[in-house]
Amino acid sequence: MSLPKDYLYSKEHEWVKKEDGKVRIGITDFAQDELGDIVFVELPEVGDSLELEEPFGSVESVKTVSELYAPVSGKVVEVNEELEDSPELVNESPHEKAWMVVVELENEDELEDLLDAEAYQAFIEE
C-alpha cells in the first residue's frame, strides 16, 4: 500500500492534500481496501459547508456503507463528478483520480491535528 508522503491523514481514513489555501480530500488506499469493491459514492454539492469530524457523504461497497467524515472545516468549491458514473475509481486510484471534494479551508490550524504519512502508517498497523 502506498501513502503519498506530502498528504495528511485522518484517523477516519481520509487523506488531505494542501493546494493554495484549499485542500483536496479523498479516502485512503487502506480504507478502499477494507471496504472492497466500491459501487456508489455520495458527495456534497459545491457551496455546501463541511464541519470538522462531521459526515459529509458516504461510500457504498458490495459489503457495507461507510460515512465520510470531514477532516477539516470549510466550503466545498469543487466535487469530483466523475465518481458518480465511475465509483470504481476509488478502488483503482484512491490518491489520484478518486479525490472527492476540494474545500476552501475555514481554519488552517485544523491541519495540525492530522497525521503525516509515517504516523498514519503506524496508526493502521496498530
Side-chain angles (χ1 to χ4, degrees), residues 1 3 10 13 28 30-31 115 119-126:
M1 175 181 43
L3 286 176
S10 74
H13 309 290
T28 65
F30 175 82
L115 307 171
Y120 180 72
Q121 184 69 47
F123 172 72
I124 59 178
E125 288 173 359
E126 283 178 1

Side-chain angles (χ1 to χ4, degrees), residues 57-94:
S58 63
V59 177
E60 187 175 332
S61 71
V62 291
K63 295 195 270 187
T64 187
V65 176
S66 183
E67 296 267 23
L68 299 168
Y69 292 94
V72 294
S73 302
K75 182 177 168 189
V76 176
V77 294
E78 198 177 337
V79 174
N80 189 347
E81 305 286 348
E82 205 174 338
L83 296 179
E84 197 173 309
D85 296 326
S86 304
E88 68 278 0
L89 286 174
V90 176
N91 296 115
E92 295 166 11
S93 182

